[in-house]
Amino acid sequence: MRASKICKNPAILIATAAVIILSVFTAGVLRACTRKTASSSTATIAFYGLDQNLENMLTVHFQKLCEQTGRNFKFQHIDDTANISVWQLKNYELVIMKNGKSAELLSEHALELPENLFAAVPNSLSADRTRLPFLLDHYETSFYKTVQNSLNLQLPENYAQLKDYLKAERSSSLVENPLICAGRDDDELLGFISNTALTLSGSDSYLKIAEDLSETDGKQIPDSLKTVLDEIKNMQNEGLIMKNWYDVTTKDILEYYFKERKTGIYHMSLSLHRKVEHLYIKYYKTTDFPAQKGTAKKAITGSQICAFAMNDRFGGIELLSALISSDSQEELSDRTHLAPVNKKCGAFDAEADDVRYWAASSDKGVLPHLGYAAFDSAKKRSLLAKTIRFYLSSK
């Protein structure tokens, strides 16, 4: 009875209709604002802790893939010195970063990727289905062929042969430095330490060293790592490696040591290798750091550049499918001069192709250097490098 009376009252009907219309309009505006906010905060590809030059090249490549797939993403740089929580990283569609401790922590919160994305990825690189590796860097040894030929030396197939090779160089007037590395650069120093550790200890013990390190703050050296560092100190004392190699900068390497042609072997990353003028690097033969006994190594050291999908609201996984395609991988290798992951595509050159092969033929693929393996903190990695330099320079 009461409802019937209300319906017959024009004033009440008009007021009620106005309230309903206003409510519907307000709800629509709020939904639109929510969608806009979600889009602006989520449709983003975040590059975490990457070298700025590499990040710039990857941005250009991703922009091209966005055009091809009709997707629209923003790009954001996140410095790995920033205190970024996993919850904050969830706001991004894709996160691009190196393998290591940070990647392990992020993988616990990322989406599991479709199996078809890994069809062209070597088994050694596809154990974790929450991350898609799409580019490889590598810590390598480059031998000066002029010295090798003059001394009639064979490239070493194991660590003992490497030391014999270095001794032959040391005894020669052709060489001032049998072996050198840009140890003032934290990543180059930790790359050499890590290759030596992997060769002397094997992959399982290597991971144990990383675990021991993770329990420190970067200011202490566990006994498992001291054994490796003591071997390198012996090499310094025997003149097999430049005594203060840990103070050599990448600028020294690029602007002096290569030009003076008195170094027999360089230990360096593939990315540093790419910065050497062709006039000099063409005289070098590049190999993986030798194993302890000449058998196939179960892993190599270096970096996997990986992609994580934190959600798939804006077609990020479709973008990853385009990223891992043969055409995209070949173009990316040509652009960055690093090694592709796709087994079927072309690589930039023989060095890039070799890295892909070494990674594919190693059971455990590419292990990050000990700093990345142990810490998700750039500060701790820097402290570790500083601690190692002090240890190597002490008597």
Side-chain angles (χ1 to χ4, degrees), residues 244-261:
N244 65 330
W245 66 274
Y246 42 80
D247 285 328
V248 175
T249 66
T250 55
K251 184 177 180 181
D252 294 333
I253 293 286
L254 297 174
E255 298 184 4
Y256 176 71
Y257 287 103
F258 267 105
K259 293 181 180 180
E260 59 93 31
R261 300 173 187 263

Side-chain angles (χ1 to χ4, degrees), residues 311-348:
N311 57 71
D312 191 27
R313 298 173 189 164
F314 299 92
I317 290 180
E318 181 184 350
L319 199 66
L320 294 185
S321 181
L323 175 68
I324 205 66
S325 69
S326 293
D327 289 344
S328 170
Q329 284 278 286
E330 184 169 347
E331 182 178 340
L332 191 56
S333 181
D334 288 343
R335 188 187 299 277
T336 63
H337 299 179
L338 297 179
V341 169
N342 189 300
K343 295 179 289 188
K344 302 176 182 179
C345 76
F348 173 68

